[in-house]
Amino acid sequence: NNVDVTFFYGRSRRGMLMATNELKKICNYHSIIVSGKVQHSRKSSTIFNPDKCVSVDQAETVVGIEPVYALSSGLRKSVLLNAIHEALQVVKELFEGMPESLSDEALEVLSWPKLVDALAITHQPASIAESGPNSPARERLAFEELCIQQAQLALMRWNLKYNNVQSRKHQQRLPTSWNDSPLLASAVEALPFQLTQSQQDCLAEMWSDAIVD
């Protein structure tokens, strides 16, 4: 089946130039690989503004399976994918010094990947099986989310059971102003500058919110 490729970036001069440049790139290749969302109709299939158009010798740069993200006006898919790639690198560095929530034995029995690997697989699946809702990576993330929800519920129950009983006594012991807090007052005095009145008002407002919470 034939698939039409359409470039359209608006009727403005800038949009026409962008479409022309994309067409020039294609004309320079004898054979190309096009990656994008295929829209089907009764008579034809079309890729509207493809994500990538590269020569055959650059095939390794085209991802076989890409997840679909909701975009807003002015946010391109390529920009979002680059941001996600960088975020996954940051997560990988952060998790190097953190222990796994599950033991190696549990991961082996369940055939689940490590948490950092599950995040990477979910956003960059290598096969259809890895992108499915029942994939080991998705199950691992669902398990982590359920654990977090259960932990939050346990904390809320503990707070309702114990903190509410002592809330009045505890609130009476708290300083009513940040100036009366020895720790916070000493920290402000150690600053190499004087707080402005607006900064002091902001600090007082945050202190009031902290007491209420």
Side-chain angles (χ1 to χ4, degrees):
N1 296 332
N2 295 330
V3 178
D4 298 328
V5 179
T6 302
F7 294 98
F8 182 74
Y9 301 99
R11 299 184 182 277
S12 63
R13 178 178 177 81
R14 180 174 179 272
M16 297 295 290
L17 288 175
M18 291 175 62
T20 302
N21 291 334
E22 294 294 338
L23 290 174
K24 287 181 179 179
K25 292 179 183 179
I26 294 178
C27 293
N28 293 332
Y29 301 136
H30 181 267
S31 299
I32 63 171
I33 297 177
V34 180
S35 174
K37 182 180 180 181
V38 180
Q39 299 179 356
H40 300 280
S41 63
R42 293 183 178 179
K43 296 182 179 180
S44 63
S45 299
T46 305
I47 297 180
F48 188 78
N49 290 343
D51 300 324
K52 291 184 180 180
C53 292
V54 299
S55 60
V56 176
D57 56 351
Q58 296 176 331
E60 66 278 0
T61 63
V62 180
V63 180
I65 301 175
E66 292 184 358
V68 177
Y69 301 97
L71 302 176
S72 60
S73 177
L75 179 60
R76 294 180 298 170
K77 183 179 180 181
S78 59
V79 176
L80 181 59
L81 290 177
N82 290 334
I84 292 174
H85 177 73
E86 294 179 2
L88 290 175
Q89 296 300 319
V90 173
V91 170
K92 184 177 180 180
E93 295 177 1
L94 291 175
F95 272 78
E96 287 180 354
M98 297 178 61
E100 274 285 333
S101 57
L102 291 176
S103 63
D104 294 337
E105 291 79 8
L107 293 177
E108 184 177 358
V109 171
L110 297 170
S111 299
W112 285 353
K114 294 184 177 181
L115 181 57
V116 64
D117 296 331
L119 288 170
I121 293 172
T122 302
H123 288 281
Q124 298 173 347
S127 63
I128 295 296
E130 290 184 351
S131 64
N134 297 324
S135 65
R138 291 285 191 92
E139 291 180 350
R140 177 64 200 276
L141 295 181
F143 170 80
E144 293 293 335
E145 186 173 352
L146 288 174
C147 285
I148 293 173
Q149 291 178 354
Q150 291 299 315
Q152 289 176 336
L153 289 175
L155 288 173
M156 290 178 64
R157 285 194 293 266
W158 188 90
N159 184 48
L160 291 173
K161 185 175 181 180
Y162 297 103
N163 281 1
N164 280 356
V165 177
Q166 303 176 359
S167 60
R168 293 183 179 179
K169 297 181 180 178
H170 181 65
Q171 192 170 6
Q172 290 175 358
R173 293 196 300 267
L174 288 175
T176 57
S177 173
W178 66 267
N179 292 289
D180 300 328
S181 171
L183 182 62
L184 187 54
S186 61
V188 172
E189 291 178 0
L191 294 174
F193 57 87
Q194 296 292 331
L195 294 181
T196 64
Q197 186 60 44
S198 298
Q199 291 172 333
Q200 294 181 22
D201 295 341
C202 182
L203 194 57
E205 184 177 351
M206 289 189 294
W207 183 264
S208 299
D209 295 338
I211 293 177
V212 173
D213 293 338

